Amino acid sequence: MTETSIAVVDDHPLLKRGVGVLFGQDSGYSLVASGSKAADVCLIMKQFCPDVLIVDLNMPGDAFRAISDSSRLFPKIKILVFTASDSTEDVTRALESGAKAFVQKGGTADELLEAIETVLRDETYISPCFAVKVIKTLQNREFLKKESGNAKLNVREEQLIRLLFC
């Protein structure tokens, strides 16, 4: 069994160290690189080509742009957003930008590991405690569109609904 290579980009040194310890304890993973700003996302992908890149949204630079650019340039690398944000807009924007998972930092180590395993199977992961909020947001958007005479969801909204109910 080969190790899954992981990289993390977050501006909190303690968090990066904790993630490094987590992956150091599990022989199935290896932390190959870390960065602290959005500009590091593409650099790490290019230089280290990790299997999974864990990215925070709240750090110097435009994390959404970095996710979008990197997912386009390196489509085989799975991007997992690991953030304290509780905004449903951030979830949809991150997924639309190319992230394959959205995990809240308040979760457990097992949840982060589950998210990694999920994206490695080419599936999408959203923290379970957050999935209900995302569904409600999409339902509200659908209701508002119906009220305005346009009842269609966009392609990404339809994908999110299918992923959440499967």
Side-chain angles (χ1 to χ4, degrees), residues 8-51:
V8 61
V9 180
D10 193 303
D11 63 339
H12 292 95
L14 184 58
L15 182 118
K16 285 191 291 191
R17 185 172 182 186
V19 169
V21 169
L22 173 68
F23 294 120
Q25 293 173 345
D26 191 320
S27 62
Y29 302 96
S30 64
L31 184 66
V32 297
S34 67
S36 59
K37 58 189 178 301
D40 294 336
V41 171
C42 205
L43 295 173
I44 287 172
M45 291 177 107
K46 185 176 182 179
Q47 185 174 359
F48 296 95
C49 198
D51 297 312

Side-chain angles (χ1 to χ4, degrees), residues 84-104:
S85 172
D86 64 354
S87 163
T88 55
E89 289 302 315
D90 283 349
V91 175
T92 55
R93 191 170 171 203
L95 295 173
E96 287 170 350
S97 295
K100 300 298 181 194
F102 191 95
V103 180
Q104 287 189 292

Side-chain angles (χ1 to χ4, degrees), residues 1 15 17 20 25 34 38 60 76 80 93 99 101 113 115 125 128 130 149 151:
M1 180 173 131
L15 182 118
R17 185 172 182 186
Q25 293 173 345
S34 67
K76 291 184 180 183
L80 184 154
R93 191 170 171 203
L113 294 171
Y125 183 94
F130 212 78

Side-chain angles (χ1 to χ4, degrees), residues 9-12 54-59 63 81-84 105:
V9 180
D10 193 303
D11 63 339
H12 292 95
I54 299 171
V55 179
D56 187 17
L57 296 178
N58 301 315
M59 62 180 162
V81 170
F82 186 50
T83 188
K105 286 183 178 176

